[in-house]
Amino acid sequence: MGIAVEGARKRFGDFQALDNVSIDVPDGSLTALLGPSGSGKSTLLRAIAGLETLDAGQVVINGQDATATPAQKREVGFVFQHYAAFKHMTVFGNVAFGLKIRKWDKAKISDRVHELLRLVQLDGLAERYPDQLSGGQRQRMALARALAVEPQVLLLDEPFGALDAKVRKDLRTWLRRLHDEMHVTTIFVTHDQEEAMDVAEQLVVMNEGRVEQSGTADDLYDHPANEFVMSFVGEVNRLGEHFVRPHDMEVVLDPDERTEEAMVQRIVALGFEIRVEFVLGDGTEVWAQLTRSELQKLELREGQIVHLRPGQTKSFNGDGSSPDRQGASTPSGGQGGDDAEVSAAV
């Protein structure tokens, strides 16, 4: 079931939450709404669910205008960040709640609930209460409850935000497998770039109520539309008007016409990856991503003077238009482009 949002606008007092937003989510896809706090992603998700009324614009679900359709009639499953579990009900009771409201037969409810508990790896925990579950188990229970009513669309609002890093990583891998098995059109909100790039087939990057760019993770990482996308999707250094990824920052011991002198400030070992932080002569702080073998070969130490050679760099026009791809360059003064894209299709 595909979803289209066309020209969506929503204001809360003086705050413009959505500013002429249009997206197109293909049937059966897993799409991430990615952006900082206040970018409008949760408002957009709630508008799709029918939990927010748009000031202008249209929500189309499966080819039908659903803008005025009540939330309970949109065939949408919604999962909140903080589970919203019924504490007085068992796991079974929580998952079965929506089915009982719809007056399903008891035997059919039991079959459906146990089928879902097996699917979300909670089989055997049906009689436990929410406070007897871990955070990851409670979130899986919430997903089972949303799936119980057989929604055509699954909407997840920062579903893993309240969990620790290890549990989040495990759950996003599990969500990807679950989606591949069920093929329910799924949209989830996150501010975590790694999470979005790891899980989603399509990414919609939002900022200040607008869609800056949409596409695959590779599209956004390799071909950012503007400064905001370049800076938000993946790590980046800014050298005057130019942007360079840390893995494209070459560290050499001998200078040439393309290098910039820098001092090693800090060396941080992050497993296989080494993060080396530098300060340039003008006080600009940058960092390079190295491997252990590269670090050992260079024999870097804090306080050492070295030379940086930017590899692939990108720069942006002053109006925020598409970046010009360049080769190696040295830092220079000036500012990059402004964010300009208002809406885009996934």
Side-chain angles (χ1 to χ4, degrees):
M1 180 177 286
I3 301 169
V5 177
E6 302 170 0
R9 295 183 183 275
K10 180 65 178 181
R11 177 180 288 275
F12 298 100
D14 294 332
F15 178 65
Q16 188 74 48
L18 297 176
D19 186 6
N20 195 27
V21 169
S22 297
I23 67 170
D24 184 17
V25 180
D27 180 27
S29 68
L30 177 51
T31 296
L33 302 181
L34 174 65
S37 297
S39 61
K41 54 191 187 296
S42 289
T43 302
L44 177 59
L45 194 77
R46 291 174 64 85
I48 294 170
L51 301 176
E52 292 288 357
T53 302
L54 293 174
D55 299 332
Q58 188 178 42
V59 176
V60 178
I61 300 178
N62 200 29
Q64 301 296 315
D65 186 353
T67 311
T69 303
Q72 62 270 26
K73 294 184 178 181
R74 293 196 185 189
E75 297 185 273
V76 168
F78 201 102
V79 178
F80 298 91
Q81 178 177 343
H82 296 290
Y83 324 121
F86 297 111
K87 296 180 180 180
H88 65 287
M89 292 184 184
T90 62
V91 170
F92 183 98
N94 268 277
V95 177
F97 180 78
L99 302 177
K100 291 179 178 177
I101 293 296
R102 288 164 175 77
K103 302 187 183 304
W104 279 34
D105 176 77
K106 286 186 178 181
K108 189 177 178 182
I109 289 176
S110 180
D111 289 344
R112 177 64 173 163
V113 171
H114 285 296
E115 173 192 359
L116 285 167
L117 292 181
R118 285 191 294 271
L119 183 67
V120 301
Q121 302 170 1
L122 292 178
D123 198 28
L125 303 181
E127 299 309 314
R128 291 195 183 181
Y129 288 87
D131 62 1
Q132 296 174 309
L133 303 178
S134 68
Q137 288 172 333
R138 286 197 294 270
Q139 193 58 286
R140 279 184 276 145
M141 180 192 71
L143 283 165
R145 185 175 61 190
L147 291 167
V149 296
E150 300 177 334
Q152 298 298 306
V153 175
L154 183 61
L155 306 177
L156 312 172
D157 192 1
E158 303 230 27
F160 311 137
L163 305 173
D164 64 58
K166 176 64 168 63
V167 175
R168 281 204 311 272
K169 189 170 183 178
D170 290 344
L171 276 182
R172 70 193 193 207
T173 301
W174 172 83
L175 176 62
R176 176 79 249 183
R177 289 199 301 264
L178 179 69
H179 177 265
D180 290 343
E181 182 175 339
M182 300 194 69
H183 300 292
V184 175
T185 303
T186 302
I187 305 175
F188 77 99
V189 161
T190 182
H191 62 271
D192 186 321
Q193 300 94 320
E194 181 181 340
E195 183 172 277
M197 296 173 78
D198 182 29
V199 175
E201 302 160 348
Q202 313 275 359
L203 278 68
V204 178
V205 179
M206 298 189 66
N207 182 41
E208 296 183 346
R210 303 185 304 273
V211 173
E212 298 287 354
Q213 189 177 357
S214 59
T216 66
D218 285 345
D219 289 338
L220 272 60
Y221 190 84
D222 295 331
H223 308 291
N226 52 44
E227 281 187 36
F228 179 82
V229 177
M230 180 82 191
S231 300
F232 197 79
V233 180
E235 300 283 358
V236 69
N237 293 305
R238 182 165 185 168
L239 302 174
E241 296 179 346
H242 305 290
F243 294 80
V244 58
R245 300 290 187 190
H247 59 77
D248 283 327
M249 187 75 78
E250 184 181 0
V251 183
V252 297
L253 301 180
D254 299 317
D256 61 33
E257 69 279 1
R258 295 186 296 144
T259 61
E260 176 85 0
E261 186 176 271
M263 184 182 73
V264 178
Q265 275 194 313
R266 188 166 177 251
I267 300 173
V268 184
L270 301 170
F272 175 76
E273 175 191 322
I274 305 297
R275 179 186 176 107
V276 185
E277 300 173 1
F278 305 91
V279 60
L280 304 181
D282 63 1
T284 301
E285 295 183 349
V286 299
W287 68 281
Q289 183 182 40
L290 306 179
T291 64
R292 284 182 176 273
S293 60
E294 288 172 331
L295 181 69
Q296 292 169 358
K297 182 178 179 180
L298 290 165
E299 298 182 336
L300 298 183
R301 63 187 183 279
E302 293 182 5
Q304 181 180 359
I305 300 299
V306 297
H307 303 273
L308 303 180
R309 182 186 297 128
Q312 184 71 49
T313 69
K314 292 182 174 68
S315 60
F316 299 86
N317 296 327
D319 62 357
S321 58
S322 297
D324 299 320
R325 183 170 294 184
Q326 301 183 7
S329 71
T330 54
S332 61
Q335 299 297 317
D338 299 322
D339 302 335
E341 290 293 319
V342 173
S343 64
V346 178

